[in-house]
Amino acid sequence: MRGISAETLNRLRDYYTPGTRVVLVEMNDPYTKLMPGDKGTVTSVDDIGTIHVKWDRGSSLGVVYGEDSCHRIEE
């Protein structure tokens, strides 16, 4: 199990609140059809720091803290 500090988890939850729009930078999953540049809407951040996203492509794959990367966007 990945260790994440309470401080980091709180920062993630404050930054990626539900409804926040994000763009995928990188996903370390060879089986996903998501591509860098895909956009989606954050639904939650879980207790291990995974940012759960409802992607515009229809996927709901989470962005894993420390493995994958996304950033907030303003639309």
Side-chain angles (χ1 to χ4, degrees):
M1 183 166 138
R2 278 182 241 310
I4 184 170
S5 72
E7 180 182 332
T8 299
L9 184 57
N10 286 336
R11 274 199 326 261
L12 285 171
R13 286 182 169 154
D14 287 345
Y15 193 71
Y16 294 106
T17 56
T20 299
R21 294 287 290 164
V22 295
V23 62
L24 183 65
V25 175
E26 179 182 19
M27 185 161 284
N28 191 17
D29 181 342
Y31 302 105
T32 186
K33 293 185 175 160
L34 292 170
M35 303 291 291
D38 283 347
K39 296 176 182 176
T41 304
V42 173
T43 58
S44 66
V45 176
D46 68 19
D47 291 340
I48 60 170
T50 299
I51 303 162
H52 293 275
V53 178
K54 182 177 182 209
W55 297 101
D56 295 351
R57 288 177 156 237
S59 173
S60 60
L61 195 58
V63 178
V64 178
Y65 179 76
E67 293 289 323
D68 306 322
S69 178
C70 69
H71 66 81
R72 287 172 51 148
I73 54 173
E74 302 297 326
E75 292 189 317

